[in-house]
Amino acid sequence: MFEKSKRQSRSSEEEDVHTHLTIHVKYYDARVSTSINHEIYNPGAFWIVEDDPVYGFTTELAITGVSTYPEERAGDIYELTIHGDDAPSRGHAVKLKDMQTRDERGSLQYRTYRGKDVPVYDRPGSFGLLNKMGGESRWTGWLFVPTGFVRDMLVLLGHGRDLFLALHERRSGRKRWIHGLSLQTNDPT
C-alpha cells in the first residue's frame, strides 16, 4: 500500500470523513429561559461582545434517539442538546461575503471556473460537536442555533408522530463536527 511521506501533506478535504446518520427520535425535553447577561457583572472580561443583548432569551431542547443508519452505528443512542440563542456573538448572521478568503495583503481571492472568476471561501465552522462516550454505544452532542429553529422543532415534536433526525457529521482527525441537522416526519434513509 502506498503511503505518503511526512513531507507530502494531504489537504484537509481528503482527511475529512462525512457521515449521514438517521436517528429515530424516542423522547425530548425542552426549556425556555431568560436572564440578565452575566457579562454585565464582569465588565473587565476580554470576551464580552458589546452587541449582545442585556436581557437574554434562550430555548434549549434535548433530544434522545436511536440510530438506524448507517448500519455500523445502528442501535447507538444519541443525546443531542440544541441550544437556541439569537445573540450576535453566536455568529448566525454571517454571510458568504464574510467567508471569502484573502491573501497576505488582504485582497479577496478568486479562482477561474469555466472561464469566470468565482470567489474562494474559507470553510465555515460547524454548528457543534458530537462525542462518543468511551466504552458505550452512546453519543452526546450539542449545537447552537437561532431560537426560531428550536421553536420549529418543538412544533414538529408536538405532533405526536414518529420523527427522525438526519445528522450530517464531519470527522476531522479525532473530532466529529455537526454540519447539518434536520428533524423530519419521514425516514431519510
Side-chain angles (χ1 to χ4, degrees):
M1 176 185 227
F2 175 76
E3 287 188 30
K4 293 188 174 203
S5 71
K6 289 185 180 181
R7 288 184 185 200
Q8 293 176 315
S9 64
R10 294 172 25 172
S11 74
S12 60
E13 284 291 321
E14 292 175 323
E15 295 174 11
D16 291 350
V17 176
H18 293 264
T19 304
H20 294 274
L21 298 148
T22 299
I23 300 166
H24 187 207
V25 175
K26 296 301 181 184
Y27 54 89
Y28 70 95
D29 292 308
R31 177 180 71 152
V32 295
S33 60
T34 185
S35 65
I36 295 173
N37 187 329
H38 64 276
E39 301 303 341
I40 206 160
Y41 302 109
N42 192 14
F46 65 89
W47 57 82
I48 290 177
V49 177
E50 291 182 338
D51 287 335
D52 277 358
V54 171
Y55 304 107
F57 304 95
T58 59
T59 307
E60 193 171 281
L61 177 60
I63 297 179
T64 301
V66 177
S67 178
T68 60
Y69 181 85
E71 197 172 299
E72 61 271 10
R73 286 167 67 176
D76 288 1
I77 297 170
Y78 287 79
E79 299 165 352
L80 300 175
T81 301
I82 302 151
H83 184 80
D85 190 341
D86 292 331
S89 61
R90 291 291 175 206
H92 295 135
V94 68
K95 297 183 177 23
L96 280 173
K97 67 179 181 179
D98 300 328
M99 299 302 298
Q100 190 170 355
T101 59
R102 295 181 177 269
D103 64 17
E104 58 278 350
R105 293 182 307 266
S107 299
L108 295 173
Q109 295 282 26
Y110 293 89
R111 67 179 176 89
T112 303
Y113 178 75
R114 294 187 179 186
K116 291 175 61 178
D117 286 338
V118 295
V120 176
Y121 296 108
D122 285 329
R123 180 185 298 185
S126 68
F127 291 107
L129 284 170
L130 195 60
N131 298 305
K132 173 111 171 52
M133 304 305 288
E136 300 180 48
S137 297
R138 188 166 66 93
W139 299 75
T140 60
W142 56 264
L143 56 155
F144 289 93
V145 297
T147 55
F149 182 76
V150 178
R151 265 193 306 271
D152 292 347
M153 292 181 87
L154 284 167
V155 168
L156 279 175
L157 288 164
H159 282 202
R161 296 178 60 181
D162 275 354
L163 293 172
F164 300 87
L165 288 170
L167 189 144
H168 175 189
E169 167 197 280
R170 177 179 60 90
R171 181 171 50 90
S172 180
R174 297 184 63 137
K175 293 211 185 276
R176 295 174 188 263
W177 303 97
I178 298 172
H179 271 253
L181 179 76
S182 70
L183 178 66
Q184 53 198 67
T185 56
N186 63 324
D187 186 337
T189 55

